[in-house]
Each structure stands twice: as structure tokens, then as C-alpha cells.
Amino acid sequence: VDPGYDPSGVVVAQLDLPSTRYPSAADRRRALEEILRRLDDDPAVAGAGFVTSVPQHGLNDFSFGLSVAAAPVDSTGNRPWAGYRGVSPGYADAMGIEVLQGRIPGRQDWSETPPDDLHVSGVAVNEDFVRRFLPSGTPPLGALLDLGGMMGTTTVPIIGVVRDVKYGSPTDPDGPEIYLPITGNFFTVFLAAKARGDSRSLPARMKAAVQGVDPLVPMEDVFFQERLLASATAEARTTLALMAGLALVALVLVAVGVYGVVAHGVARRGR
């Protein structure tokens, strides 16, 4: 199964930025940007970025309702739903997610005036979002989405399209996803980094970058993304094998039942 990303050499760590130490979104944003600056300067790191939820993990797996200017809500007033993730531009490079058109949203795609009043001005979407919500032939870049006031934003343009990524089980069907700029409005985030070469020293390098900014911010739930994907894939295969086994047992029972009915009928006619 193609997960839509390249987990090789990728290490992920969960960071929690408590409100007692980082009371505003601006405080959290500055800390995240400084951590990334330190990792970008490390020659052993090929790429690094933040995201609110990583594939196969499950934490912070959010979704919300929206409308698309090119495809309005239906007559019942139902708004389509999509998963969303806050990301920094380096996340796609670190996780090996292909950007098909445009770009991942970054610092230039949101503003804060005053500091905690956040306004997003550009988002990226995945292929499934384009297939589901944009009329055939509609160029995705520049299409307008109505986020319903989320993050201080109503109408916002699509500025990028990325490959579909399996964020849940590797065997799940693709779903629509929106990538918002990670603005510091999340207290719990994931730091993803890709090694240039051997990845075994990467957790220590990530820890040094984090603690160089704030020694009191721990790196929690550190894992190699390749192992997480392998575990999720094995679990999905076990479930499919179990379902196939149960289906076979049911088929055998049906066959035995049919045989019994036929044999009973033949025996009665024989008498």
C-alpha cells in the first residue's frame, strides 16, 4: 500500500508548549520558528517541519465543515467536511510528501493583528479534495474556500495541491484534507525531521534543537515514522486476514448447510 509519503529516515517527536510558559500564539510561533532554524542549520538534517497530526498516529486528527465557491453547499444546506492539519513549509520536505501544484502555506500566509487575532490567507489541499469538491476542469489554484470564520478567516484561496496521504490506517480510502499554516495556535504539535544519511543520531539532534530554545520543553513520544507505518500496515493486514478467514468459515458453513438440505431431500425421495 502506498501511504503517499516517504517515511525512510524520518523521526517524529511530540512537543507540548504549555500556556503557562507560552501564553500567546505569538510566543509559541517564535519558539517553533527558532527550533526549525536550528535544525535547518544542522548539516545532518535534510529537512524539518511542524505538523499538528502525523500519519498513523491519530492525535489531533481534526475535521470541519466548509464550502467551496466553485461548488456551493447542496439544497439541504449541508457543508462538506474535510480533515485539516496545521503545517510549516518544511513538513512536506521532511515527510516526503509531493507538492503537485503551488506550495505549502507558510509564514506569509497568515497575519496576527492583534497578536492572538489570526487571519489565514492561503491553504493547500490534497488530490481527493480537488476530485470531490471542485467541478471537473476547474483550476484548483485560486479557488476560494469558505472556512466559516475558522482562525479568523472566512474566504481563503487554495495556493497548493499535494498528494493524497494515508493519515489513518494504510488501507483506508483517501479523504479530503486541508493544510493550514501552523500559526502557533496549537499547544501540542509534532516535529518531523528527515536525516541526511544515518537517522540514529537524529533524535539527539532534535532534542538539542528543542532544548537549545527551551530546556523545560520535553520531547515526548519520539518514534521513527518508518516503524510506525510498518506497525500500522501489519495491523491492517492482520485485520484483513481475519476478515477473510471469517468469510471463508461462513462460506464453508453455508456449503455444509446446503449439502445437508440436499442430502436430506435425496434421502426422503429414496424412501
Side-chain angles (χ1 to χ4, degrees):
V1 177
D2 181 4
Y5 69 96
D6 179 12
S8 59
V10 177
V11 175
V12 178
Q14 178 183 326
L15 301 184
D16 292 306
L17 303 176
S19 59
T20 52
R21 293 183 58 75
Y22 297 92
S24 73
D27 295 327
R28 295 186 290 277
R29 173 184 57 78
R30 283 190 291 268
L32 300 183
E33 289 177 348
E34 178 58 20
I35 291 170
L36 289 182
R37 186 193 66 77
R38 290 168 180 258
L39 287 172
D40 288 342
D41 290 341
D42 190 330
V45 178
F50 283 103
V51 65
T52 54
S53 179
V54 289
Q56 284 74 64
H57 191 278
L59 185 65
N60 291 346
D61 215 1
F62 303 124
S63 61
F64 67 99
L66 70 153
S67 61
V68 185
V73 296
D74 61 30
S75 58
T76 65
N78 292 327
R79 296 166 66 90
W81 285 76
Y84 76 88
R85 299 168 207 288
V87 295
S88 69
Y91 167 69
D93 292 334
M95 199 63 77
I97 300 172
E98 184 180 0
V99 179
L100 303 174
Q101 297 183 51
R103 58 182 174 82
I104 291 288
R107 179 64 183 87
Q108 69 272 37
D109 299 306
W110 61 276
S111 60
E112 44 183 20
T113 50
D116 276 346
D117 188 10
L118 304 174
H119 296 272
V120 172
S121 57
V123 300
V125 299
N126 68 339
E127 296 171 283
D128 191 69
F129 187 101
V130 173
R131 288 192 297 266
R132 287 177 186 249
F133 301 144
L134 295 183
S136 178
T138 301
L141 298 187
L144 298 178
L145 311 183
D146 182 355
L147 303 185
M150 179 181 178
M151 297 179 69
T153 301
T154 51
T155 303
V156 60
I158 295 174
I159 61 171
V161 179
V162 303
R163 277 196 69 194
D164 290 331
V165 174
K166 303 286 189 183
Y167 278 95
S169 168
T171 58
D172 284 348
D174 295 322
E177 297 278 349
I178 295 177
Y179 293 86
L180 298 157
I182 194 164
T183 58
N185 55 317
F186 297 93
F187 289 96
T188 299
V189 296
F190 290 91
L191 172 60
K194 189 177 187 69
R196 182 174 282 112
D198 194 336
S199 62
R200 287 176 293 182
S201 67
L202 194 51
R205 293 178 178 275
M206 294 166 66
K207 182 177 181 180
V210 171
Q211 296 199 337
V213 174
D214 187 344
L216 298 181
V217 173
M219 280 202 346
E220 302 176 357
D221 198 12
V222 182
F223 53 90
F224 288 83
Q225 186 66 32
E226 199 165 15
R227 296 176 187 173
L228 183 64
L229 175 60
S231 176
T233 302
E235 182 178 339
R237 286 174 177 167
T238 300
T239 301
L240 289 175
L242 179 61
M243 293 175 63
L246 291 174
L248 179 61
V249 170
L251 183 62
V252 170
L253 291 175
V254 169
V256 170
V258 171
Y259 173 79
V261 170
V262 172
H264 180 68
V266 171
R268 290 188 62 182
R269 286 195 297 271
R271 290 198 292 269

